[in-house]
């Protein structure tokens, strides 16, 4: 079983739609969770951290369910510019110097 | 946020040559840096953890003699792909942690002919 699993997609949705991604992780002791966005041929960029209480940043909402060991990302009112690969990232350690684990990514394509 | 640079951004080389890639933390110090490789349509795969002043820690399946890592200062780690072959062609990305966030370099696209 992979340490971090994501549905690879691709998700192809119309502009304005709401789309949700899920991610599961195997290490129950994992401490920190993130969603990164990666555009084609670019480096990953942090989209948002994920907290147990859930957090929202504009059109983006992230949630963590420790009991079920999954993380979700919800994108509302999707824009063309949201087209990218979304990476679920888990830090199993207590420090940012711990190696982080990437999911394989979910590709999202927003159509006009 | 913190900035990590990589050099070169792309390189094309002949099979059998060695290629050095630099990763620098520009406005913070990093005792640890990470090197990843990403093949087309795949996710980032951690190759090794670079530790300032000590040996790198390699992930299973990554040949330490082929991918030489040197972390000689708190702001610089280098990855040397020795005797590169076409199958080493990939996108190499480094990252460095600052507080609770990983900052990624822009990546180096290596093409081995």
């Amino acid at each position: 079983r992979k340490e971090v699993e994501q549905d690879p997609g691709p998700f192809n949705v119309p502009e304005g739609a709401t789309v949700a991604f899920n991610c599961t992780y195997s290490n129950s002791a994992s401490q920190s969770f993130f969603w990164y966005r990666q555009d084609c041929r670019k480096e990953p960029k942090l989209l948002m951290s994920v907290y147990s209480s859930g957090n929202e940043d504009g059109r983006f909402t992230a949630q963590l369910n420790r009991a079920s060991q999954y993380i979700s990302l919800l994108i509302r009112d999707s824009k063309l510019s949201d087209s990218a690969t979304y990476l679920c990232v888990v830090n199993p350690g207590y420090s940012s110097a711990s190696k982080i684990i990437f999911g394989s990514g979910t590709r999202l394509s927003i159509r006009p | 946020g913190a900035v990590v640079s990589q050099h070169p951004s792309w390189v094309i080389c002949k099979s059998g040559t060695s290629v050095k890639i630099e990763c620098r933390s520009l406005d913070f110090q990093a005792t640890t840096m990470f090197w990843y490789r990403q093949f087309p349509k795949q996710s980032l795969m951690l190759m090794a953890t670079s530790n300032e002043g000590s040996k790198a820690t390699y992930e299973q399946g990554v040949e330490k003699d082929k991918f030489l890592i040197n972390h000689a200062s708190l702001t610089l780690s280098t990855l040397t792909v020795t005797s590169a072959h076409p199958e080493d062609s990939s996108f190499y990305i480094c990252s460095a942690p600052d507080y609770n966030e990983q900052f990624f370099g822009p990546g180096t696209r290596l093409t081995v002919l």
Side-chain angles (χ1 to χ4, degrees):
Chain A
R1 182 186 173 188
K2 290 183 180 178
E3 291 183 81
V4 179
E5 291 203 67
Q6 290 182 252
D7 182 341
F11 285 68
N12 188 317
V13 301
E15 198 173 5
T18 295
V19 61
F21 307 139
N22 286 328
C23 165
T24 58
Y25 60 96
S26 60
N27 185 348
S28 60
S30 296
Q31 296 299 312
S32 307
F33 309 88
F34 310 89
W35 282 102
Y36 277 75
R37 169 194 169 128
Q38 185 176 25
D39 293 291
C40 189
R41 294 176 172 260
K42 300 284 188 181
E43 76 275 21
K45 292 188 184 294
L46 180 66
L47 181 63
M48 57 198 307
S49 302
V50 188
Y51 305 115
S52 297
S53 55
N55 48 302
E56 187 174 309
D57 182 3
R59 299 181 292 108
F60 299 85
T61 301
Q63 290 196 312
L64 165 65
N65 184 318
R66 284 191 182 271
S68 301
Q69 293 178 214
Y70 81 77
I71 307 146
S72 65
L73 176 68
L74 183 76
I75 304 175
R76 290 182 300 278
D77 188 24
S78 54
K79 311 291 184 190
L80 294 175
S81 58
D82 294 333
S83 297
T85 296
Y86 290 83
L87 301 166
C88 174
V89 178
V90 175
N91 184 346
Y94 289 90
S95 164
S96 60
S98 305
K99 60 182 183 181
I100 58 177
I101 312 298
F102 282 86
S104 56
T106 299
R107 286 187 291 140
L108 173 65
S109 178
I110 308 297
R111 62 179 187 270
Chain B
V3 178
V4 175
S5 70
Q6 270 185 253
H7 177 81
S9 55
W10 59 269
V11 58
I12 302 173
C13 69
K14 292 182 179 179
S15 186
T17 60
S18 294
V19 175
K20 180 187 283 188
I21 303 170
E22 294 185 348
C23 177
R24 293 181 186 272
S25 56
L26 297 186
D27 48 2
F28 66 104
Q29 294 182 332
T31 56
T32 301
M33 291 183 176
F34 300 95
W35 286 98
Y36 299 85
R37 180 167 54 182
Q38 186 176 33
F39 293 107
K41 297 189 178 182
Q42 296 186 26
S43 189
L44 281 77
M45 295 300 296
L46 180 65
M47 299 175 67
T49 302
S50 174
N51 305 298
E52 188 268 335
S54 64
K55 291 181 180 180
T57 307
Y58 290 82
E59 295 301 300
Q60 191 173 14
V62 178
E63 299 175 56
K64 63 180 181 180
D65 295 328
K66 177 160 182 71
F67 299 98
L68 301 179
I69 290 174
N70 184 280
H71 195 148
S73 78
L74 289 170
T75 59
L76 173 64
S77 174
T78 61
L79 168 69
T80 301
V81 183
T82 61
S83 187
H85 291 284
E87 58 267 29
D88 297 322
S89 299
S90 188
F91 191 45
Y92 291 85
I93 307 177
C94 68
S95 75
D98 189 32
Y99 294 100
N100 195 33
E101 187 174 337
Q102 289 283 340
F103 293 90
F104 289 85
T108 297
R109 191 160 301 280
L110 170 64
T111 301
V112 185
L113 302 176

